Amino acid sequence: ETGVTQSPTHLIKTRGQQVTLRCSSQSGHNTVSWYQQALGQGPQFIFQYYREEENGRGNFPPRFSGLQFPNYSSELNVNALELDDSALYLCASSLDGTSVGEQFFGPGTRLTVL
Amino acid sequence: GEDVEQSLFLSVREGDSSVINCTYTDSSSTYLYWYKQEPGAGLQLLTYIFSNMDMKQDQRLTVLLNKKDKHLSLRIADTQTGDSAIYFCADRMDSSYKLIFGSGTRLLVRP
């Protein structure tokens, strides 16, 4: 069974640029959630996708957007990068329909905005 | 609003028990989770408890839930140096897969 993978591992961008982060869900999982973890903080929920549709969103501006593909892999896109976007971005996959809804996290992408 | 609070730091001696505490504000919690994060890594799910349970034991881990006080704890028996990490509790609200995380408790295990 393949776990959750994310790419790239690290990324450096400058203010105003755009970035795309990628996530491959654990085999058999149809739901993916994205979280932003600033240094020294817990993860903050960005949004969730279920069967290619956005299924819930946290307090993030519209310049944070996402996609989920038919194979349940996912992208997080951030436009007009700001310095405060520097963080570890985590994706988590889960299988909808299970009452526990355990979310399994990938290793994350470390984004630095200069 | 939804909030999860944790103490920032805990230091224990190897072989002792560790108890990490968490409080939450949400009244409609369904499941509460404990995750472990090692330096430079993602989050590893350790265990979870359903909101109508008081206790769950899983090998060296014991989770206690006091729903009246909205207090959750994680006890690690026979703590080892490999247990040194940041531990997050997370709250899942009713009918949602959104997890609300605390800021994490850094556990340091001294030899």
Side-chain angles (χ1 to χ4, degrees):
Chain A
E1 187 177 83
T2 308
V4 180
T5 60
Q6 293 187 243
S7 62
T9 307
H10 295 89
L11 204 50
I12 299 175
K13 292 284 189 178
T14 56
R15 273 187 304 175
Q17 285 190 310
Q18 179 265 342
V19 69
T20 297
L21 311 181
R22 294 179 175 83
C23 171
S24 289
S25 297
Q26 185 164 313
S27 177
H29 285 182
N30 57 16
T31 302
V32 65
S33 304
W34 284 91
Y35 292 81
Q36 180 196 66
Q37 186 179 19
L39 202 60
Q41 300 294 317
Q44 299 287 317
F45 176 75
I46 303 175
F47 44 55
Q48 182 182 89
Y49 278 81
Y50 168 63
R51 292 184 177 175
E52 304 175 57
E53 298 283 333
E54 189 179 287
N55 190 38
R57 191 178 182 92
N59 293 327
F60 282 82
R63 59 189 185 83
F64 286 77
S65 63
L67 282 173
Q68 188 184 30
F69 300 100
N71 66 354
Y72 303 129
S73 65
S74 176
E75 285 182 356
L76 165 65
N77 298 289
V78 188
N79 294 322
L81 283 167
E82 300 177 0
L83 296 179
D84 284 349
D85 296 333
S86 294
L88 181 68
Y89 288 85
L90 297 161
C91 80
S93 75
S94 56
L95 179 61
D96 185 44
T98 65
S99 58
V100 177
E102 295 162 281
Q103 295 192 12
F104 295 91
F105 283 79
T109 294
R110 172 76 59 191
L111 172 65
T112 302
V113 182
L114 302 176
Chain B
E2 314 133 356
D3 196 20
V4 177
E5 300 276 346
Q6 296 180 242
S7 52
L8 290 180
F9 185 74
L10 176 66
S11 178
V12 301
R13 202 177 308 183
E14 190 175 17
D16 287 351
S17 292
S18 307
V19 179
I20 301 171
N21 294 301
C22 172
T23 58
Y24 60 98
T25 57
D26 175 31
S27 300
S28 60
S29 298
T30 52
Y31 288 91
L32 295 128
Y33 304 82
W34 284 102
Y35 283 87
K36 176 184 179 182
Q37 187 175 37
E38 297 184 78
L43 276 70
Q44 174 194 354
L45 177 64
L46 291 176
T47 188
Y48 63 88
I49 188 167
F50 185 46
S51 58
N52 70 352
M53 296 171 64
D54 298 323
M55 186 183 85
K56 180 179 180 181
Q57 187 147 5
D58 187 357
Q59 299 181 333
R60 291 192 298 127
L61 305 179
T62 303
V63 179
L64 295 178
L65 175 60
N66 182 327
K67 197 170 182 181
K68 175 177 169 288
D69 292 340
K70 297 190 177 69
H71 182 266
L72 180 75
S73 67
L74 174 70
R75 178 177 178 270
I76 306 172
D78 187 26
T79 314
Q80 302 298 306
T81 55
D83 294 324
S84 292
I86 301 176
Y87 290 79
F88 293 94
C89 70
D91 173 20
R92 179 182 151 207
M93 292 162 47
D94 191 26
S95 303
S96 168
Y97 287 97
K98 173 182 176 181
L99 296 180
I100 309 297
F101 284 87
S103 295
T105 299
R106 183 178 294 276
L107 174 64
L108 176 66
V109 183
R110 309 185 307 275

